[in-house]
Amino acid sequence: MDRILYTASNGAARILEQQSVISNNMANVATTGFREQMAIYRSVPVVPQAGELPTRVSTVASTPGSHFRQGIMAETGHALDAAISGDGWFAVQTPQGEAYTRAGEFAVNDQNQLVTHTGLPVLSADGQPIEIPERGSVTFATDGQISALGAGDNPRDIQLLAQLKLVNPPKDQLVRSDDGLFRTAGGQPVQPDEAVRIAPGFIEKSNVNPAAMMVAMISNARQFELQMQVVKNASTNEERGNSILSAVG
């Protein structure tokens, strides 16, 4: 079989892999705190057969990391909403251990714990879930301090509950998990960073550029069509070649 078929089909497969990453980014345009996932092609050597020189290479699509630029800050006015100002992450507890997110749409669950919109407990600076007084009025400070005033309490009786665990590990040490959260490569918890600040009453939107993703999707679709056209032309040429050989024979 003509080797151009392998070349074209390999290229088409890589385009489909990259298209899935772009589609995932598009699907999360409205996801609070989402970080755009990168997709690139990289070359890999082809193991040579007997008598062949090790000069051939192929390509694979990979997702080496994410774009960490800050998304647009949107004011909500909700007491339990918060956004990271600049670099940094909120720490949350998952069944697989500590993880990190930029999504600050918090709520209080049935156990009076501060949780993310997916129900994961938000961690305090000492690595514990944060309990919120029942029907308490919660206030966030820019340094992550959480204070609350119980229902019917005197304003002078406001109590300090805890401090959000805010971290800022090096970006090259963070790995995106399948659940959309980030973890350190070794899975070890990160120490709190006192320099991280939050904006109470705000949320950070996704940092995905919808226009750029749409252009990338259209470009990939056209490239896929070109690869399929190459496969079609190679098949046509092979059929013509066989017809000529049959006629000569």
Side-chain angles (χ1 to χ4, degrees):
M1 184 180 291
D2 197 330
R3 291 184 179 180
I4 193 174
L5 291 176
Y6 292 106
T7 302
S9 61
N10 180 66
R14 301 295 80 78
I15 291 172
L16 290 178
E17 291 172 0
Q18 188 181 54
Q19 191 79 329
S20 67
V21 175
I22 297 173
S23 298
N24 182 61
N25 287 335
M26 282 292 293
N28 286 281
V29 166
T31 301
T32 302
F34 181 80
R35 288 290 169 269
E36 179 185 333
Q37 192 171 12
M38 294 187 293
I40 64 172
Y41 299 130
R42 65 182 179 88
S43 61
V44 293
V46 176
V47 178
Q49 298 180 359
E52 293 183 342
L53 295 176
T55 56
R56 299 169 58 208
V57 296
S58 184
T59 59
V60 296
S62 62
T63 53
S66 305
H67 287 294
F68 291 103
R69 62 180 179 273
Q70 184 159 348
I72 297 174
M73 305 281 277
E75 185 174 8
T76 65
H78 296 162
L80 293 179
D81 284 347
I84 299 288
S85 297
D87 294 333
W89 303 82
F90 297 109
V92 298
Q93 185 66 45
T94 74
Q96 295 76 34
E98 188 171 298
Y100 308 105
T101 180
R102 299 273 298 193
E105 288 181 306
F106 301 138
V108 179
N109 64 10
D110 295 338
Q111 289 75 43
N112 292 331
Q113 291 181 339
L114 188 68
V115 296
T116 65
H117 70 285
T118 58
L120 297 174
V122 181
L123 296 180
S124 63
D126 57 3
Q128 299 299 318
I130 300 171
E131 293 190 7
I132 304 297
E134 187 173 357
R135 294 185 299 169
S137 177
V138 178
T139 303
F140 290 131
T142 57
D143 62 354
Q145 292 280 356
I146 307 174
S147 57
L149 185 66
D153 287 351
N154 191 301
R156 292 176 298 180
D157 296 331
I158 190 168
Q159 57 179 317
L160 180 63
L161 299 179
Q163 181 167 12
L164 292 170
K165 183 174 183 181
L166 305 174
V167 301
N168 188 22
K171 295 180 177 63
D172 58 1
Q173 294 182 10
L174 292 174
V175 179
R176 185 197 298 266
S177 303
D178 292 338
D179 56 10
L181 301 173
F182 287 81
R183 295 172 172 83
T184 57
Q188 298 300 317
V190 179
Q191 293 300 313
D193 189 336
E194 296 180 355
V196 179
R197 291 292 181 266
I198 66 172
F202 285 78
I203 59 171
E204 180 189 3
K205 295 185 176 182
S206 167
N207 68 351
V208 175
N209 185 326
M213 290 299 102
M214 185 61 69
V215 170
M217 291 186 70
I218 295 173
S219 176
N220 271 11
R222 290 176 176 174
Q223 290 183 41
F224 183 81
E225 291 176 0
L226 289 175
Q227 298 288 0
M228 290 297 96
Q229 187 62 45
V230 171
V231 172
K232 181 179 179 180
N233 290 342
S235 178
T236 300
N237 290 340
E238 185 173 358
E239 291 177 359
R240 289 175 179 175
N242 291 335
S243 299
I244 294 174
L245 291 176
S246 299
V248 173

